[in-house]
Amino acid sequence: MKNILLLKLNNERLREILFFIAVLLLVIIPKGGFKIAGVPITWGYLYLGLLFILSIIIIVNKYKFTVNSKHYMCYLATLPFVLFFTIHLLIFGYEGSLGNLIAFYISFVFLPFLFYIILGNFLTKINGDYIQNLIAKSVFWIAIYGIFLFIYKQITGHFLEIPYITVNAADLGELARSKFNQRGSVAKLISTYNNGNIFGVCILMLFPVFYNKTTSKFKIFIVILALILTLSRTVWIGLIFYFLILYRNKLLQLAKVYLLGALLLFIIGSIVMTRYFQYGSLQGFILDSNLGGRILQIRKVNEITFFGSKAYTIIDEIVYLSIFRQFGVIGLVLFCISFFAPVYLFLQTKNNNFIYFLGVITYLFVCFSDGCMLLIPTLAFFYFICTMTFIRQDRT
């Protein structure tokens, strides 16, 4: 029975089914699940744990295991920061919730090992077009649902919530109260991600795949509209950055995209923001001197240390600044080695996947504003696209 199961797991169709389930749980309903002692347990992360166990069983059975050299180098680059963090924790202590501490080790230890070392070979054996088409379709449909939910919330005054599916059962009724989704009387577009910034940041990472595989201008318009309706300056800037990189040598296409975006912002600003927005106008929102509360994070950086001198609390919105403030110069350098290693390897090697690389650098860019780093499912997306960056599209 065991040999039959392992034989079936080597079948390409079964691998596609396993990947489909992963997309369903991590991309379409990423927040579905429950909490134990305040720690969120999502179906997607549970499924990743199941894939990990299943992969280990297969590896042990075969007595053979191969790892892409680039994946291996990316993984090695993550270790110094984790070691530094652990030593820092032992010396200076921790001031935060158990959930945040668990989230750190899942995000910085388990996820990179899972994707770079365990799942890299598995993903190589799945048809590249199948992966990209499935991702493109998923991005479109959660954008559609996001727009529906955005309109539904404005009309009814409350979110449509399905416990265990579209929202964590323990967060039922909290989307409008404790998830920072309100801009005055206007609610951000959140789709199934329970927060506008998380939705926007995660979809920005997958947007290059969606944009590459989608020929319908209507579908592209829908997804861009959904990203704009997150009412997140971080997401808007990330979208501008992506198109700037994509069309850096095609000024006419770049101008068309930016004009369309400006038109959408003008319409939304005229119809919605002026009357209902907490900032009073689109201009007031964009030019907000408080930077959505982030100015406080900037002001906290009042001294330079090499190793940090305070207890770890949490990684704030402005990721690099938060790392520097808590872990000093050395901590920031090790963090950058961990996260920028895929960029370095991409630039130094050939036969890489540029589409996924665009998602990598877009995320690293938005981390200057709000990386949602420890929030589910952000880093699962990041390590996935980093892994796919070094899997060629023309593989068989």
Side-chain angles (χ1 to χ4, degrees), residues 35-48:
K35 288 185 179 181
I36 297 179
V39 179
I41 310 295
T42 65
W43 307 126
Y45 275 46
L46 282 176
Y47 184 68
L48 289 179

Side-chain angles (χ1 to χ4, degrees), residues 15-308:
R15 286 194 292 267
E16 290 178 351
I17 292 173
L18 290 173
F19 183 77
F20 171 81
I21 296 173
V23 171
L24 173 65
L25 298 179
L26 285 162
V27 180
I28 297 179
I29 53 170
K31 293 295 187 177
F34 54 95
K35 288 185 179 181
I36 297 179
V39 179
I41 310 295
T42 65
W43 307 126
Y45 275 46
L46 282 176
Y47 184 68
L48 289 179
L50 175 63
L51 288 181
F52 175 78
I53 295 172
L54 197 58
S55 299
I56 294 297
I57 293 174
I58 295 173
I59 292 168
V60 171
N61 181 77
K62 286 187 173 182
Y63 297 103
K64 182 180 179 182
F65 183 58
T66 58
V67 179
N68 181 309
S69 60
K70 297 173 188 175
H71 291 161
Y72 184 65
M73 294 300 294
C74 286
Y75 173 69
L76 288 182
T78 68
L79 299 180
F81 178 67
V82 172
L83 178 61
F84 176 86
F85 172 83
T86 303
I87 295 173
H88 187 280
L89 201 67
L90 292 174
I91 296 174
F92 297 107
Y94 172 66
E95 295 178 356
S97 68
L98 175 63
N100 285 332
L101 188 60
I102 293 174
F104 181 93
Y105 279 102
I106 289 177
S107 300
F108 290 90
V109 179
F110 173 70
L111 290 179
F113 182 76
L114 175 68
F115 281 100
Y116 287 141
I117 303 300
I118 302 297
L119 296 183
N121 189 50
F122 170 79
L123 292 169
T124 303
K125 295 178 180 178
I126 304 177
N127 181 272
D129 285 333
Y130 174 83
I131 291 177
Q132 291 195 26
N133 285 328
L134 185 57
I135 289 175
K137 290 176 182 177
S138 300
V139 168
F140 172 70
W141 284 111
I142 60 175
I144 285 285
Y145 178 75
I147 292 173
F148 159 75
L149 189 62
F150 178 85
I151 297 172
Y152 181 89
K153 172 61 169 66
Q154 315 310 325
I155 293 176
T156 66
H158 59 83
F159 288 105
L160 177 63
E161 299 172 288
I162 306 174
Y164 299 102
I165 305 297
T166 65
V167 62
N168 190 291
D171 290 333
L172 194 63
E174 293 296 318
L175 295 186
R177 291 198 293 266
S178 62
K179 299 296 182 180
F180 306 102
N181 288 320
Q182 290 296 130
R183 294 289 195 190
S185 59
V186 178
K188 300 178 182 179
L189 183 144
I190 63 172
S191 190
T192 55
Y193 287 66
N194 294 188
N195 176 272
N197 281 38
I198 298 176
F199 170 80
V201 167
C202 287
I203 298 310
L204 279 176
M205 284 189 272
L206 301 181
F207 187 79
V209 175
F210 164 80
Y211 193 74
N212 180 62
K213 299 300 292 186
T214 304
T215 56
S216 168
K217 293 182 178 179
F218 171 74
K219 290 183 177 180
I220 292 173
F221 170 80
I222 288 295
V223 174
I224 291 178
L225 177 62
L227 289 172
I228 290 176
L229 289 177
T230 60
L231 305 181
S232 166
R233 284 161 295 207
T234 295
V235 176
W236 295 357
I237 294 172
L239 198 59
I240 291 172
F241 175 81
Y242 165 73
F243 281 114
L244 179 62
I245 297 298
L246 182 65
Y247 292 128
R248 60 194 181 280
N249 297 321
K250 301 176 181 178
L251 295 181
L252 181 60
Q253 288 92 328
L254 184 63
K256 289 180 180 178
V257 171
Y258 285 175
L259 284 173
L260 174 61
L263 179 61
L264 285 174
L265 283 176
F266 176 76
I267 294 173
I268 294 171
S270 299
I271 297 176
V272 178
M273 293 183 177
T274 301
R275 183 173 180 181
Y276 303 104
F277 214 37
Q278 70 189 77
Y279 295 91
S281 67
L282 176 61
Q283 180 183 4
F285 176 55
I286 295 176
L287 300 178
D288 173 31
S289 60
N290 194 40
L291 301 178
R294 291 173 181 81
I295 193 67
L296 296 177
Q297 297 175 36
I298 296 174
R299 289 171 178 169
K300 286 180 181 179
V301 182
N302 52 17
E303 61 182 52
I304 297 176
T305 63
F306 281 99
F307 302 100

